[in-house]
Amino acid sequence: MTHSRRGTRDQKAFRRKTRQRGPVKDLILIVCEGKQTEPNYFEAFRLTNVDVVGAGADPLTVVERAKEMDQQQHRLGKDYDQIWCVFDRDEFPAERFNNAIYATRKLNKFHAAYSNEAFELWYLLHFEYLNSGISRQDYIEKLTKHLDRRYAKNDPAMYHLLLENGDQEKAISYAQRLLRCYSQDNPSENKPSTTVHQLVQVLNQYKHRK
């Protein structure tokens, strides 16, 4: 028997043993537009089956980067079950924002957790329902008031601050309510809106699993 065949056989046996010990968790890749704000938030879930990367790129490039990482890991024998691309509308061209979302809809296991206009919308929904577009400064002022401390964009404690001071279930409900207000044909025009709650719901399945 060759070494390569023996290695493959051992890997299959390990997978069988892993399945016998308990439910297998999906391996999830999260590629974020920002390098700190979004990665800090998702890393705070502290899930061992989730890889979080800050790409520092525009929405369409985030999707391309995610595809490249998926292909690289596949060559190493590590296949992701879910891939989430996290990005904001910001001031990026509407075409690139929309095309990034459309691309994830066409790709198997890819999803978009987008915010129009900013990721901070997801934070704010923990405290209030917002159905009109506001400036970034307004987000900062509102979050500062709700958190009872100055909001800092890259604050690594935001996940825990939101759980302690806000209501995540309310945020999910508000995000769903916003999406029902729009057609999904032109997401760049759907302001404010977010699908970050969909990724949070996926992560919560593993966060709350015994």
Side-chain angles (χ1 to χ4, degrees):
M1 179 183 295
T2 65
H3 178 75
S4 61
R5 289 180 180 174
R6 186 165 55 246
T8 301
R9 187 174 177 180
D10 290 343
Q11 288 174 1
K12 290 181 178 178
F14 174 78
R15 292 193 189 102
R16 284 197 298 271
K17 290 178 181 179
T18 302
R19 284 196 293 270
Q20 291 169 359
R21 286 199 296 268
V24 177
K25 297 180 179 180
D26 276 4
L27 187 59
I28 300 171
L29 171 65
I30 302 175
V31 182
C32 305
E33 167 202 321
K35 288 189 174 183
Q36 289 184 289
T37 301
E38 298 93 336
N40 284 345
Y41 177 78
F42 292 114
E43 286 171 353
F45 279 80
R46 300 181 66 84
L47 295 171
T48 57
N49 61 314
V50 177
D51 293 336
V52 183
V53 177
D58 78 295
L60 202 53
T61 304
V62 167
V63 177
E64 292 302 319
R65 189 73 53 81
K67 288 167 63 177
E68 292 171 2
M69 293 185 65
D70 183 41
Q71 292 168 359
Q72 291 170 358
Q73 293 303 311
H74 177 71
R75 288 194 289 269
L76 296 174
K78 178 181 179 181
D79 289 314
Y80 289 108
D81 300 289
Q82 298 185 47
I83 299 175
W84 287 83
C85 301
V86 181
F87 50 85
D88 300 341
R89 172 68 171 87
D90 286 333
E91 296 179 356
F92 294 115
E95 183 179 10
R96 291 189 72 80
F97 178 76
N98 283 342
N99 285 343
I101 296 171
Y102 300 154
T104 62
R105 292 175 181 174
K106 296 176 182 178
L107 294 168
N108 182 42
K109 71 186 179 183
F110 274 69
H111 311 272
Y114 67 82
S115 297
N116 189 357
E117 166 178 353
F119 191 72
E120 282 79 6
L121 171 63
W122 167 245
Y123 292 168
L124 190 57
L125 292 177
H126 286 69
F127 305 99
E128 62 179 271
Y129 179 65
L130 181 72
N131 61 356
S132 60
I134 62 175
S135 68
R136 285 189 171 276
Q137 185 59 38
D138 287 335
Y139 276 118
I140 292 173
E141 292 177 0
K142 282 179 173 289
L143 287 169
T144 295
K145 178 181 177 181
H146 288 303
L147 293 169
D148 199 26
R149 59 184 277 177
R150 185 67 180 172
Y151 169 68
K153 183 173 178 60
N154 299 323
D155 190 343
M158 276 305 299
Y159 172 79
H160 297 289
L161 286 172
L162 292 170
L163 289 184
E164 293 168 3
N165 299 283
D167 186 331
Q168 190 184 90
E169 287 301 316
K170 181 185 292 184
I172 292 170
S173 177
Y174 285 164
Q176 293 170 334
R177 181 177 167 187
L178 279 174
L179 286 182
R180 290 195 294 269
C181 295
Y182 309 108
S183 162
Q184 298 306 304
D185 296 334
N186 189 8
S188 66
E189 296 297 318
N190 301 346
K191 180 180 177 179
S193 65
T194 183
T195 59
V196 171
H197 65 287
Q198 296 172 357
L199 173 54
V200 169
Q201 288 177 298
V202 169
L203 299 181
N204 280 344
Q205 293 176 8
Y206 301 104
K207 184 73 176 177
H208 300 152
R209 181 178 291 177
K210 298 289 186 180

